[in-house]
Amino acid sequence: MHDGPKFKHGDLVEGHYVFLEEFYWWEDLEGSFFHIGVVIATEYDSYFFDDYLYTVLCLDQVKRFFVESEMIKII
């Protein structure tokens, strides 16, 4: 059973898309796959990920979605 979300709304986090390395291993992908932003929403997704799914407003003003295992807290 899950104890609850690890990150709270307002936490500054760094997210990294882990799946890109698995699905695009044959290509040299350009750009950064590390994104820094603030957690603005949290929901539990039992169907696809069986984990918490976070909406993060990144510094480039783009909303991105990360599961808990793809994130670390900065502050």
Side-chain angles (χ1 to χ4, degrees):
M1 190 72 180
H2 296 280
D3 295 330
K6 182 177 177 181
F7 304 102
K8 301 178 295 190
H9 294 187
D11 282 351
L12 184 63
V13 295
E14 179 180 299
H16 176 248
Y17 288 126
V18 175
F19 72 87
L20 289 174
E21 296 170 357
E22 296 173 11
F23 292 117
Y24 300 103
W25 55 269
W26 67 89
E27 292 185 32
D28 290 330
L29 298 172
E30 298 287 328
S32 172
F33 296 106
F34 290 92
H35 302 283
I36 296 174
V38 176
V39 175
I40 60 172
T42 306
E43 66 180 85
Y44 186 76
D45 185 332
S46 61
Y47 188 74
F48 287 108
F49 300 109
D50 194 31
D51 203 351
Y52 286 95
L53 181 65
Y54 296 89
T55 304
V56 177
L57 180 58
C58 296
L59 295 177
D60 61 358
Q61 299 179 358
V62 175
K63 290 180 185 175
R64 294 186 172 89
F65 303 92
F66 297 96
V67 292
E68 198 165 86
S69 61
E70 296 177 319
M71 296 169 46
I72 59 170
K73 188 173 177 179
I74 295 178
I75 295 177

